Amino acid sequence: MGARLHVPGVARTSLPVVLVILTLLPHSLLGKPAEEENTESSVLHQRVKRGWVWNQFFVLEEYTGLEPLYIGKLHSDMDKGDGSIRYILTGEGAGTTFTIDDSTGDIHAIQRLDREVKSQYVLRAQARNRLTDRPLEPESEFIVKIQDINDNEPRFLDGPYQAAVPEMSKIGTSVIQLTATDADDPTYGNSARVVYSILEGQPYFSVDAKTGVVRVSLADMDRETRENYTVVIQAKDMGGQLGGLAGTTTINITLSDVNDNPPMFDQRLYQMSVPETAPVGSVVGRIWAKDRDIGVNAEMTYSIVDGDGRDTFDITTDPTNLFGIIIVKKPLNFEKKPSYTLKVEGANTHVDPVFFKRGPFKDVTIVHVSVEDVDEPPVFDLPAYYIEMPEDAEIGTVVKTVSARDPDAANNTVRYSIERSCDPEKYFYIDITSGSLMTVRSLDREEISWHNITILAMEMSMSHALMGKSTFYFVLKIVLDVNDNPPSLTHYLEAYVCENAKAGQRIQTITAVDPDEPPGGQHFYYRLAPEAVNNPNFTLRDNQDNTAWILTRRGGWSQQEQTIFYLPIIISDGEQPVQTSTSTLTIRVCSCDHEGNVMSCNAEAYSLPASLSRGALIAILACIFVLLVMILLMLSLRTHRKKPYLCDEEENVHENIVRYDDEGGGEEDTEAFDIAAMWNPREVHHHLGKMRQDMLPEIESLSRYVPQACVVGGGGDSNVHGYVLAKLLEADMDPCAPPYDSLQTYAYEGEGSVAESLSSLQSGTSNNDHEYDYLNDWGPRFKKLAEMYGVLETNSPPMW
């Protein structure tokens, strides 16, 4: 068997260098023919020829034809051309990228091949019997390599680029290195051989054709003249030959700053002004030594190198380190010096030695500062006054004469006054022109020991009635003490002596107080009053240390004999004039235990709690008494309160109370109707002209509803109807009687009435006719009612 090599027609005509090479290499033995299997056990092993061994195919990439690209042909020596052999292709791309004719063994590419995507494919081929599917030859592996063509241009993957180079750089200074990549095969031909060139940016920059390094090609490029440059670089493959592919990129090159320019003031003379009242540290003005450089190369330091204001002014640099700020160093005074001259120098802080020849990197200027006159307030001759004065000084005593002047050139007149908020009690007065401070009230150190006086100085001007300039001045004044207060006992005005006390026993230690404060300190002297010097009960011992002891002269004390003793004590101080006072010490006799502790005293001070005084106890008792009286009064009122109407608990009838308020005269109307007149018919014959003293109600409305029954034994005028008409006529004829309305009150008659309740509630519980015979049992007051209901007894006596 052998292998056959078939070259495609396309390759044979266009590219004779691309051949399908078939290399026979020992790989494996072919399968045994069918006729030899039966004699295998009896025939010796024989050497069998190799059917095929494929190595590799070569094919160009980027085939653009319409027909499938013929790759090669597989053929076995056992193929007789009768179609009994079936060729099978497996491996990378089999069936998708490559196909094989299973009868002829022709291999075609059905997709476009790109070496940059996949440079080779590994395939496996096999020949099988079409009927039995028996492999006729062992499976062989071969490689299809994709041969490169120049179909990719060089590319700058990191572009566009940013670069910087210091200004004034020398020719040949490296700026940046560029690298272009080509996807073509660098091992095959010149497809990936790149050459660099510059398309834009001459004559300032150049590029190395092989390395792609961009360099400076023009000397002394100045950033202050031009700062930014745009350079276009091209990369071309095929070694730059005609027909090669090219790619470009852009480089933005910036010239970085160097300190190659000295600073320079834009003015040779600065004029500034500042008010004389400007405080220390205030800003006078700013100056600037301009520098064409930027950043740290433009930073400046300023200093005053000469001038008559070097001690009065100072200069600092602002936070940007660009400007010089002139500030006040000492207080200014227009009257003393109205102007100053300063010589200021500005210099770069970072100097490059390479550019020393362009220096010096500093400059100077002159600053003229004018001090403006300001109307200043008056100034006192001393910053503070401290005055001591005795408290017994006479009214009108001059304490101090203050003096203030106008510091301005005008030297206006100064007037003085006291700020009244500091002296509300008005102890002092100041002369408006002389400034003499004097007292107008008596001073008392025990009341106020310190006086803080504020003096107000104001200047007067011819153009202004009162200038608004003033100075507050504080005078601290202490009043010297004078011995004008007598001493007195502190708070021990009561003491006690035990019944079992013996003679010579100390019962109390006394001390004294004095509101005065002598310079040498207090010194008190104690003694008994003349009337108590020879008393047989107590004595006093002065301890010469501002204290004294009260001692007993005898023993045998008893509460039954005497419970209280009074001991007058004279206390005097040691200053001139000597002040003396007498204090009485109350001594009570108490029963004590063996240790001297008080058990009981008849004195009220010991029977009551120490914190409860007599007045407080009386007040508490008075409050308790008033409270008890109020409680008793409330109980009494509740007991005598009238019982409410309609309180029948047995029937529990909830009646409706109907009030007929006609806004009459109230109780006077009720009292005006004298029912006694109805019992005496003669009362109707009053003189019509009589001036009425009472208030008579109008009851004419009652007469039209009351039956007109005659009274036995009486005339026509003796009935109620006649009486009412008479009263009505009398009221109508009386010009002094107001038209009072009648207020009729229907209320419960109360307990003890034979009629009980007259309410109509529950009167309809029975359908039977009511019997009113019981009205006759209610007495003569209800006879008229019984007459109205027709139950009047015929044999009853007359009503009136």
Side-chain angles (χ1 to χ4, degrees), residues 163-183:
V165 62
E167 63 174 333
M168 299 296 173
S169 295
K170 297 179 180 181
I171 297 176
T173 302
S174 176
V175 179
I176 189 174
Q177 182 176 10
L178 305 181
T179 301
T181 59
D182 196 325

Side-chain angles (χ1 to χ4, degrees), residues 474-491:
F474 296 90
V475 176
L476 187 60
K477 178 182 168 92
I478 182 172
V479 179
L480 296 179
D481 184 39
V482 174
N483 190 22
D484 56 352
N485 294 280
S488 61
L489 290 181
T490 52
H491 55 278

Side-chain angles (χ1 to χ4, degrees), residues 239-504:
Q241 297 178 5
L242 185 64
L245 303 178
T248 60
T249 188
T250 301
I251 309 173
N252 296 316
I253 301 177
T254 302
L255 297 183
S256 58
D257 184 61
V258 296
N259 193 7
D260 58 339
N261 294 282
M264 182 176 296
F265 285 101
D266 56 354
Q267 294 180 224
R268 288 303 171 189
L269 177 63
Y270 289 88
Q271 294 286 346
M272 299 180 183
S273 61
V274 60
E276 63 176 333
T277 56
V280 174
S282 58
V283 176
V284 179
R286 300 196 313 172
I287 59 175
W288 182 22
K290 295 183 179 179
D291 194 330
R292 297 179 63 193
D293 299 321
I294 59 175
V296 296
N297 297 318
E299 292 182 356
M300 306 293 296
T301 57
Y302 296 90
S303 60
I304 300 176
V305 296
D306 200 0
D308 57 0
R310 298 177 61 181
D311 297 333
T312 308
F313 299 94
D314 197 2
I315 188 168
T316 60
T317 306
D318 75 325
T320 63
N321 294 323
L322 297 178
F323 299 93
I325 302 175
I326 299 176
I327 60 176
V328 178
K329 186 178 181 180
K330 290 184 178 180
L332 305 176
N333 192 328
F334 172 81
E335 288 74 23
K336 292 183 178 180
K337 189 171 180 58
S339 64
Y340 296 88
T341 300
L342 305 174
K343 185 177 181 181
V344 181
E345 179 185 81
N348 281 135
T349 56
H350 300 84
V351 180
D352 192 345
V354 177
F355 302 101
F356 274 164
K357 60 183 179 179
R358 294 175 176 266
F361 288 86
K362 59 184 177 180
D363 196 15
V364 294
T365 188
I366 302 299
V367 180
H368 184 268
V369 181
S370 299
V371 180
E372 298 177 353
D373 187 21
V374 178
D375 190 8
E376 299 174 88
V379 178
F380 284 90
D381 54 354
L382 292 178
Y385 292 99
Y386 179 79
I387 304 168
E388 293 185 353
M389 187 176 182
E391 62 178 334
D392 60 348
E394 296 181 358
I395 296 176
T397 301
V398 176
V399 179
K400 181 69 177 179
T401 299
V402 298
S403 176
R405 62 178 181 84
D406 182 10
D408 300 320
N411 195 17
N412 293 318
T413 304
V414 178
R415 296 291 182 262
Y416 306 93
S417 63
I418 297 177
E419 180 63 32
R420 286 305 172 188
S421 61
C422 68
D423 187 24
E425 302 296 333
K426 297 183 179 181
Y427 283 93
F428 302 94
Y429 166 79
I430 190 170
D431 188 87
I432 189 172
T433 57
S434 64
S436 297
L437 182 67
M438 60 189 69
T439 61
V440 294
R441 290 182 58 184
S442 298
L443 304 179
D444 190 352
R445 190 202 63 83
E446 285 72 33
E447 293 182 1
I448 303 177
S449 60
W450 293 84
H451 293 271
N452 296 323
I453 308 301
T454 301
I455 305 298
L456 181 64
M458 297 169 289
E459 61 177 280
M460 305 296 294
S461 176
M462 296 300 295
S463 58
H464 299 81
L466 179 63
M467 296 295 292
K469 305 296 182 181
S470 60
T471 296
F472 292 92
Y473 182 76
F474 296 90
V475 176
L476 187 60
K477 178 182 168 92
I478 182 172
V479 179
L480 296 179
D481 184 39
V482 174
N483 190 22
D484 56 352
N485 294 280
S488 61
L489 290 181
T490 52
H491 55 278
Y492 301 105
L493 297 178
E494 291 189 358
Y496 69 93
V497 60
C498 296
E499 290 181 321
N500 54 2
K502 299 179 181 179

Side-chain angles (χ1 to χ4, degrees), residues 614-633:
R614 181 181 303 173
L617 181 61
I618 294 175
I620 293 173
L621 293 177
C623 292
I624 295 174
F625 177 77
V626 172
L627 184 62
L628 291 176
V629 170
M630 292 178 63
I631 293 174
L632 292 176
L633 182 60

Side-chain angles (χ1 to χ4, degrees), residues 11 41 320 661:
S41 59
T320 63
D661 296 340

Side-chain angles (χ1 to χ4, degrees), residues 146-180:
I146 311 302
Q147 193 167 6
D148 182 49
I149 64 173
N150 190 18
D151 58 345
N152 292 279
E153 73 277 4
R155 294 183 179 182
F156 295 93
L157 302 180
D158 298 329
Y161 298 88
Q162 301 289 334
V165 62
E167 63 174 333
M168 299 296 173
S169 295
K170 297 179 180 181
I171 297 176
T173 302
S174 176
V175 179
I176 189 174
Q177 182 176 10
L178 305 181
T179 301

